[in-house]
Amino acid sequence: TEWRNSLRATSTVRINLEVPRIVVSLDDDPIRGSKDAPVQIVMFSDFQCPFCSRVETTIKQVRDTYGDKVAVTFRDYPLPFHQNAEKAAEAANCAHKQGKYWEFHDALFANQAQITLPDLKKKAEEMHLDMAAFNQCLDSGEMKTEIEKDTKEGGTYGVTGTPAAFVNGRFLSGAQPF
């Protein structure tokens, strides 16, 4: 260790290796922006994760700053110790079937303390979703397979926690600042 440290202190060390890129599928998940945008951010996130909520502010700042040059795809990765996260992800996907994914997404992150099953249904009603269709979707667990697919696929990319982002295939872990 001393020898290595002395070499670093007396020599200029440059690492010229490219950061690995992973081809991350957008699947059929909700996207803000164009699939043709030069910067593609794929977020694996959890609606109950406080760090995921924090990174939403950064993502908004990136979108506001770079406009149509960036697109954000949201993939579900509910952590097992967040008891309401999976049902919240299912609810957001049920809202997606009615074209209200991003509104529901934003409402969930705006108040993470209110994501129990009754809260999810109340949010859907406040958004004037077709409640019969929403309730059928949510109560049947119809979206559970979609959530499990995202989580499993995230694991194949090395995701173990949230938030986890891939910016043009480069992995970025945690709630990073702008």
Side-chain angles (χ1 to χ4, degrees):
T1 302
E2 286 179 29
W3 179 70
R4 184 186 68 220
N5 290 341
S6 72
L7 285 176
R8 284 187 175 157
T10 60
S11 304
T12 302
V13 177
R14 238 169 115 183
I15 300 173
N16 293 320
L17 298 174
E18 175 84 13
V19 174
R21 290 181 190 257
I22 299 170
V23 177
V24 180
S25 169
L26 304 180
D27 193 32
D28 58 352
D29 290 298
I31 184 168
R32 271 186 170 154
S34 169
K35 288 185 178 185
D36 298 323
V39 177
Q40 295 288 327
I41 300 172
V42 180
M43 289 294 307
F44 285 87
S45 192
D46 171 330
F47 286 112
Q48 199 171 354
C49 164
F51 298 103
C52 296
S53 178
R54 189 179 309 158
V55 82
E56 284 296 314
T57 304
T58 304
I59 292 294
K60 183 178 180 339
Q61 189 176 2
V62 167
R63 289 181 47 249
D64 289 348
T65 302
Y66 297 103
D68 61 359
K69 294 178 184 168
V70 65
V72 180
T73 301
F74 192 92
R75 308 257 344 239
D76 296 295
Y77 199 90
L79 299 171
F81 52 87
H82 288 150
Q83 69 183 29
N84 297 314
E86 186 171 327
K87 212 54 168 170
E90 288 180 44
N93 281 276
C94 290
H96 184 46
K97 288 179 67 175
Q98 297 187 39
K100 295 282 191 172
Y101 179 84
W102 290 109
E103 294 90 336
F104 207 87
H105 164 280
D106 293 347
L108 292 175
F109 278 123
N111 192 347
Q112 288 182 304
Q114 293 183 343
I115 62 169
T116 64
L117 187 58
D119 295 326
L120 298 171
K121 291 184 177 195
K122 183 178 178 186
K123 284 181 195 323
E125 193 169 1
E126 289 169 355
M127 290 180 187
H128 306 289
L129 297 180
D130 174 340
M131 289 308 294
F134 181 84
N135 287 334
Q136 187 283 326
C137 176
L138 188 59
D139 295 340
S140 71
E142 176 182 329
M143 293 296 162
K144 192 172 178 64
T145 303
E146 172 64 27
I147 309 308
E148 289 170 351
K149 184 172 81 170
D150 280 2
T151 303
K152 184 177 180 180
E153 197 168 312
T156 67
Y157 302 135
V159 175
T160 57
T162 58
F166 292 87
V167 181
N168 285 355
R170 291 181 175 176
F171 180 62
L172 187 62
S173 180
Q176 300 296 322
F178 179 76

